[in-house]
Amino acid sequence: MRLTTAEIKMLLRQCAADEEIHPIEDFKRFIAERTEKNYSVGQLSGALAQLAALGELENVERGLYRKKKGGSAFGGGNAAWERCGEEEKDENKQNKELREQIRTCLEATEERLARIAGAANVWELSGEDFELLGETRRLSERIKAVISRC
């Protein structure tokens, strides 16, 4: 079974609630200790990016995060962190489902592109195929950027 991004964000909030600086490995360990469900690297990075964009987490430096002091985009204080598991309004539910479907599709596509590109022997590629591999890498980076917005 797979974690949803909403579940990942809830776990990230719980881990960061101590307001200490946490490397990504801390978040991974925290999630692993609390669930056996799987998740992708894209889901984790997307959830971190979303929480940072919402002002809930502060990106101290590359790969280091902490709960933003002085509250969050939800009005501040610990109450926002405690409400993280509550249901969203019905009008937002459809948007959330759409984003989740798009994210799931794009993550699967990006993972498949990475496997295909990783299996290519660059020494044996023609110039045209090498260019195609470069375009595939740029496409993969763009997909990751879109995933982080979902």
Side-chain angles (χ1 to χ4, degrees), residues 66-134:
R66 73 172 159 213
K67 178 181 173 187
K68 190 156 187 175
K69 295 182 182 185
S72 71
F74 292 108
N78 287 334
W81 290 73
E82 293 166 5
R83 289 193 312 262
C84 64
E86 294 178 7
E87 285 289 317
E88 294 183 16
K89 294 179 182 177
D90 287 338
E91 61 209 44
N92 292 330
K93 193 169 185 175
Q94 286 181 335
N95 290 341
K96 185 177 178 181
E97 290 172 1
L98 173 65
R99 287 174 176 262
E100 187 65 34
Q101 289 174 346
I102 291 170
R103 179 183 8 274
T104 301
C105 176
L106 290 176
E107 286 172 345
T109 301
E110 194 280 325
E111 288 171 9
R112 188 166 180 212
L113 283 173
R115 276 196 311 273
I116 292 168
N121 184 347
V122 294
W123 298 112
E124 295 179 3
L125 293 178
S126 68
E128 185 177 317
D129 288 342
F130 192 77
E131 285 181 36
L132 181 60
L133 193 59

Side-chain angles (χ1 to χ4, degrees), residues 25-39:
E25 289 306 315
D26 282 0
F27 292 119
K28 289 179 180 178
R29 191 171 25 261
F30 187 88
I31 292 169
E33 290 170 356
R34 282 155 181 78
T35 184
E36 293 182 14
K37 291 182 180 180
N38 297 321
Y39 61 94

